[in-house]
């Protein structure tokens, strides 16, 4: 995937997740933005090789929310 396409996907994802954070945490845009970009979830999302950019926005938000509640970020693994 080209860098431009990846950047576009990440930008769209960020907009959606920041909106979810604003709604569920009752934060302003800047507060939600700052919490999001300082999260381990976001840092992992920014690395294309991790491939969590393929997860749904809801799934990514749930990973972020769990990280905020527990302080732990884990990429889910497949159940065999």
């Amino acid at each position: 995937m080209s860098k431009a396409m990846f950047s576009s996907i990440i930008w769209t994802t960020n907009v959606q997740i920041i909106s979810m954070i604003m709604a569920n945490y009752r934060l302003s845009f800047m507060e939600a933005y700052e919490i999001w970009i300082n999260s381990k979830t976001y840092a992992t999302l920014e690395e294309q090789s991790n491939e969590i950019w393929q997860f749904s926005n809801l799934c990514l938000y749930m990973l972020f929310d769990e990280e905020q509640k527990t302080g732990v970020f884990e990429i889910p693994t497949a159940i065999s």
Side-chain angles (χ1 to χ4, degrees), residues 12-30:
T12 303
T13 300
N14 288 337
V15 169
Q16 294 297 314
I17 293 176
I18 290 168
S19 293
M20 290 180 198
I21 295 169
M22 289 171 62
N24 292 303
Y25 284 69
R26 299 178 189 233
L27 298 174
S28 70
F29 174 82
M30 288 307 295

Side-chain angles (χ1 to χ4, degrees), residues 5-70:
M5 181 180 270
F6 180 69
S7 293
S8 178
I9 290 168
I10 297 303
W11 183 85
T12 303
T13 300
N14 288 337
V15 169
Q16 294 297 314
I17 293 176
I18 290 168
S19 293
M20 290 180 198
I21 295 169
M22 289 171 62
N24 292 303
Y25 284 69
R26 299 178 189 233
L27 298 174
S28 70
F29 174 82
M30 288 307 295
E31 291 168 324
Y33 173 79
E34 191 165 318
I35 289 173
W36 172 240
I37 65 165
N38 289 310
S39 71
K40 293 176 187 169
T41 309
Y42 174 78
T44 305
L45 177 64
E46 283 281 292
E47 295 179 33
Q48 186 175 354
S49 62
N50 291 320
E51 297 188 352
I52 70 166
W53 54 269
Q54 296 181 47
F55 292 5
S56 71
N57 292 336
L58 180 57
C59 181
L60 290 169
Y61 171 79
M62 291 171 65
L63 292 173
F64 165 82
D65 189 52
E66 186 68 19
E67 175 189 345
Q68 296 306 299
K69 290 176 181 174
T70 66

